[in-house]
Amino acid sequence: MFKNIIAPVQAWLLVSGKCVGCGTPLAKGKREKIGEDKERVVCKCGRIFVFDKKTKKYRRALFEEV
Ligand SMILES: [Zn+2]
């Protein structure tokens, strides 16, 4: 039953620019340019995200981006 709760919380954390694992602001993460409008952001807890500069949104990195 927790799955139904966790997914919206993770989505909300990402929208606020925070790591879904530890809640640390992703602005503090290690950034690396991976494309014209994309940055890979590695949180201190090891989770990897992609920041889209066009939409200014974070999302979990896809398998091939890790
Ligand atoms: Zn984290």
Side-chain angles (χ1 to χ4, degrees), residues 6-40:
I6 288 169
V9 168
Q10 291 195 342
W12 175 80
L13 281 168
L14 273 183
V15 166
S16 343
K18 288 175 183 163
C19 174
V20 299
C22 64
T24 301
L26 290 172
K28 291 182 180 173
K30 194 164 161 268
R31 307 179 90 88
E32 186 185 336
K33 202 177 177 194
I34 55 170
E36 267 310 303
D37 302 301
K38 285 198 285 186
E39 277 181 343
R40 184 167 68 181

Side-chain angles (χ1 to χ4, degrees), residues 47-64:
R47 283 178 175 79
I48 300 169
F49 300 88
V50 171
F51 180 66
D52 189 320
K53 287 181 177 176
K54 274 186 187 161
T55 59
K56 301 211 185 314
K57 279 180 184 163
Y58 290 94
R59 60 173 172 78
R60 295 294 298 268
L62 302 174
F63 182 72
E64 63 264 27

